């Protein structure tokens, strides 16, 4: 094994760890790994192939799709409408941003918990507000839809974390194979 293999394996491992941290912070960690793998492929295509980069791109697309639509699916599963599902998606984005801003006053813990908690609560609030305010569902039905959206968002965070860990391991193994 050459020193380049060890450099790329070390970079892959560090980018995998950074990717996991990014996902916890509601940042695109899997795309960071994909970018770094593409740079490694450009530098040493005999070590990191285009198949490795393509696999990471596919994992990234799957991860983002699950992340974006899980809260909407949760809202729909518990009786929400299409508009309520859209409210859950918008609420996720707004909630993650606001959670990061408002809980950032608590060093480290707030930076991690803020976007996660904000995204979960935002998904639920977005679905609830749209179902109650626009669709005119009852409070009970709106709460069910909002709860489903929040649960879907919570599940998506763990699925995305699992896919990011899988991508990181794949990247490290690809350096040696």
């Amino acid at each position: 094994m050459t020193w380049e293999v060890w450099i790329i394996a070390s970079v892959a491992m560090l980018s995998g760890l950074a990717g996991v941290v990014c996902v916890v912070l509601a940042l695109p960690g899997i795309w960071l790994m994909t970018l770094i793998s593409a740079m490694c492929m450009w530098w040493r295509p005999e070590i990191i192939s285009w198949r490795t980069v393509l696999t990471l791109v596919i994992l990234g697309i799957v991860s983002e799709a699950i992340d974006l639509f899980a809260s909407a699916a949760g809202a729909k599963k518990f009786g929400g409408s299409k508009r309520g599902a859209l409210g859950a998606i918008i609420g996720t984005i707004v909630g993650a941003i606001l959670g990061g801003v408002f809980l950032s006053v608590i060093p480290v813990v707030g930076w991690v918990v803020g976007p996660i908690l904000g995204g979960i609560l935002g998904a639920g609030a977005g679905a609830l507000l749209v179902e109650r305010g626009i669709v005119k569902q009852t409070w009970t039905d709106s709460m069910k839809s909002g709860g489903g959206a929040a649960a879907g968002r919570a599940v998506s965070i763990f699925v995305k974390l699992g896919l990011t860990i899988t991508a990181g391991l794949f990247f490290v193994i690809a350096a040696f194979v």
Side-chain angles (χ1 to χ4, degrees), residues 70-86:
S71 56
K76 292 279 293 170
K77 182 175 171 103
F78 287 91
S81 65
K82 289 181 182 178
R83 287 180 274 180
L86 180 61

Side-chain angles (χ1 to χ4, degrees), residues 4-147:
E4 289 106 341
V5 170
W6 288 104
I7 295 288
I8 289 177
S10 298
V11 166
M13 187 176 64
L14 290 174
S15 72
L17 291 172
V20 168
V21 170
C22 286
V23 167
V24 170
L25 295 174
L27 297 171
I30 203 161
W31 295 112
L32 172 69
M33 277 188 283
T34 303
L35 174 65
I36 292 171
S37 73
M39 292 182 342
C40 289
M41 182 191 71
W42 176 73
W43 179 51
R44 289 287 183 248
E46 68 278 5
I47 299 173
I48 297 297
S49 70
W50 64 269
R51 288 183 185 110
T52 300
V53 178
L54 180 63
T55 301
L56 292 178
V57 167
I58 291 168
L59 284 171
I61 291 169
V62 168
S63 171
E64 292 302 324
I66 289 170
D67 190 38
L68 187 61
F69 294 109
S71 56
K76 292 279 293 170
K77 182 175 171 103
F78 287 91
S81 65
K82 289 181 182 178
R83 287 180 274 180
L86 180 61
I89 292 170
I90 293 168
T92 295
I93 296 166
V94 172
I97 293 168
L98 291 178
V101 170
F102 288 121
L103 290 180
S104 68
V105 296
I106 306 168
V108 183
V109 173
W111 302 331
V112 174
V113 174
I116 292 171
L117 187 60
I120 292 169
L121 294 175
L128 181 136
L129 291 173
V130 169
E131 295 294 357
R132 182 68 186 142
I134 296 173
V135 180
K136 304 294 184 199
Q137 284 190 354
T138 65
W139 276 107
T140 303
D141 290 339
S142 298
M143 294 283 282
K144 285 180 188 175
S145 177

